[in-house]
Amino acid sequence: MNTEPPTGDDLQRMLVSMKQTVLDRAEERHPEPRRHRSRIVIATVALLALGTAGGAVALAVVPQVQQAAPAPSPTAEPSVPASTPASAPVVDTPAPKPSASSAAAPSRYPDDCRALYSDADRQRFFGATPLAQTPAHPDGTTVPAPASTTYSGGTWTAATWLACDWAQPRTDVGSVHVTIGSASATALAEREDGLRAAGADCAPGDGGTVCRLPDAADPDFVGAETSWWDSDGRWITIDQVNFPTSGLLPATIAGLSSDRVGPGSWVVSGAGVGPITIGSSYQDVVDEVEPVLPQTNGACPNPNVGFFDSGDLHVIVVQAGGKVVGVDASGLTTAAGMGRGNSIDQLRAAYPDLTRTPGYGDDSSPAFAYWSVRDGDRSVTFEMDEGGELVTGVWVGDDPRPPYEYCG
């Protein structure tokens, strides 16, 4: 009796017969196949066709499929020769590689411009310069869709996570604009080409690529644009005009990966300000707020008022009988993005039902006027400057008017 393994045409006929047997048995056992059944059969046939020596290759190219229920144990089949002759070649299909044009999507990204920096760095970089954040209240998880964005080298396509503007109101002199986001490797490479063409100096640095483009168009302005990105597709752009800093880029890069918690994403509403809710225990508020917004009562003799400050963010909490009865916030906004620095026209556009709230003086004068909008059971009141044109703070409390004095 011939005990040698089949070769050539005999091997091909045996494999065809085995394949048909497997298909017939699968059809008999399961007359109504499920959607994943074809992949299991193909994987079985592939292993039979390749033989023992080629099994490792087959396992490498067959995707692992998660089953809804365990598959039945296959019937034992005759062993296949340890070697495969030239008449049955094996084609090794390489596993697909991730596209270089796809940026790594983060599980979470910063949603608070203040939380990008430590308290010391924020004070050193920006001092009391007002901050405007766009979007005002991102959730930090839903990555925005890429969109066309202009820059000094042209136009590129990228997702913008957060834009932070530190600038004095009523002036275009002295500002710093920090933008962070994500983009594909292809888009970043094209942007580097555009920056170089515009005269930027690009080189490896700070764990990625850094491009610096000085702005010498106007002798009255001292400005620069600094761009950075890494292999994960994260990017930062810093535009500065008459606003010198030292170490701002490394601090911003560090902030991208930090778990620092900041109050910049707190929202002013009829319920209160962020975690500071009207009617809650004042001591509970102090315990929760102080770690991220230090209390700075100073020489204020009023025990019913708590001052909490950090950089350009100021919150005053008023209590009565141990319960919070009102909160005054400067540097935070409502869900509509209205807060310090917004104009009366912007308030009216955001809130068509905005009404004038009687104050403590001449209500015929726009100076230091109060404008309110209902939000739930309370009013949110915007406090205006001496010209009645710009918002200086936002108040919410049981009384629609903020106190005339807090420490007097």
Side-chain angles (χ1 to χ4, degrees):
M1 180 175 63
N2 184 12
T3 59
E4 292 298 318
T7 59
D9 294 339
D10 291 337
L11 175 61
Q12 291 288 355
R13 283 192 291 271
M14 185 194 77
L15 294 175
V16 170
S17 176
M18 292 166 61
K19 173 181 178 182
Q20 187 61 47
T21 300
V22 172
L23 292 174
D24 290 343
R25 290 176 179 174
E27 184 66 23
E28 291 172 0
R29 294 174 184 170
H30 304 280
E32 295 181 1
R34 298 176 182 174
R35 283 183 295 177
H36 64 265
R37 173 114 4 247
S38 60
R39 297 190 182 184
I40 300 173
V41 173
I42 291 172
T44 305
V45 174
L47 286 172
L48 289 170
L50 293 173
T52 304
V57 177
L59 288 173
V61 299
V62 176
Q64 300 298 313
V65 181
Q66 185 174 358
Q67 307 294 331
S73 301
T75 304
E77 301 292 347
S79 60
V80 181
S83 61
T84 303
S87 59
V90 175
V91 178
D92 186 1
T93 304
K97 296 181 179 180
S99 171
S101 63
S102 300
S107 58
R108 183 168 183 84
Y109 61 87
D111 57 7
D112 182 357
C113 292
R114 292 178 182 84
L116 280 172
Y117 311 98
S118 66
D119 289 343
D121 278 345
R122 190 171 56 253
Q123 180 64 35
R124 178 168 64 91
F125 294 139
F126 314 113
T129 305
L131 166 67
Q133 173 176 305
T134 307
H137 311 294
D139 66 8
T141 58
T142 304
V143 177
S148 296
T149 304
T150 58
Y151 70 106
S152 298
T155 302
W156 74 317
T157 301
T160 300
W161 300 344
L162 192 62
C164 313
D165 288 282
W166 282 270
Q168 294 294 338
R170 298 182 180 179
T171 179
D172 58 358
V173 178
S175 64
V176 57
H177 179 74
V178 178
T179 310
I180 61 177
S182 61
S184 68
T186 299
L188 289 166
E190 292 174 351
R191 189 186 193 204
E192 181 176 354
D193 292 340
L195 286 169
R196 288 182 182 273
D201 179 18
C202 299
D206 290 306
T209 301
V210 180
C211 291
R212 291 184 171 88
L213 183 65
D215 183 6
D218 191 330
D220 293 331
F221 293 86
V222 178
E225 176 183 292
T226 303
S227 299
W228 172 92
W229 59 88
D230 65 7
S231 59
D232 290 331
R234 305 181 305 171
W235 59 268
I236 297 171
T237 297
I238 300 175
D239 289 304
Q240 294 174 264
V241 177
N242 290 345
F243 205 113
T245 59
S246 177
L248 179 57
L249 177 60
T252 307
I253 295 171
L256 281 179
S257 303
S258 73
D259 57 357
R260 193 179 299 117
V261 178
S265 58
W266 293 354
V267 180
V268 182
S269 70
V273 177
I276 311 170
T277 56
I278 307 301
S280 59
S281 164
Y282 177 73
Q283 188 56 52
D284 288 347
V285 165
V286 172
D287 292 342
E288 183 168 2
V289 171
E290 266 199 316
V292 294
L293 203 61
Q295 187 169 6
T296 57
N297 273 37
C300 181
N302 189 349
N304 294 319
V305 175
F307 292 84
F308 302 86
D309 298 275
S310 178
D312 67 327
L313 178 57
H314 312 285
V315 174
I316 305 174
V317 183
V318 181
Q319 66 152 328
K323 301 293 184 181
V324 175
V325 297
V327 188
D328 195 322
S330 177
L332 295 173
T333 69
T334 63
M338 294 293 104
R340 184 181 61 199
N342 287 112
S343 67
I344 184 64
D345 291 337
Q346 290 173 319
L347 286 180
R348 290 191 175 112
Y351 302 109
D353 56 345
L354 190 74
T355 57
R356 178 80 181 257
T357 295
Y360 296 98
D362 181 5
D363 289 328
S364 65
S365 169
F368 304 110
Y370 298 143
W371 292 91
S372 300
V373 60
R374 293 295 294 179
D375 185 2
D377 296 333
R378 298 184 184 87
S379 292
V380 174
T381 300
F382 299 91
E383 307 159 71
M384 310 304 291
D385 64 2
E386 60 183 351
E389 298 176 2
L390 296 177
V391 178
T392 59
V394 188
W395 162 267
V396 58
D398 292 334
D399 187 332
R401 296 185 310 174
Y404 181 71
E405 290 184 350
Y406 289 101
C407 294

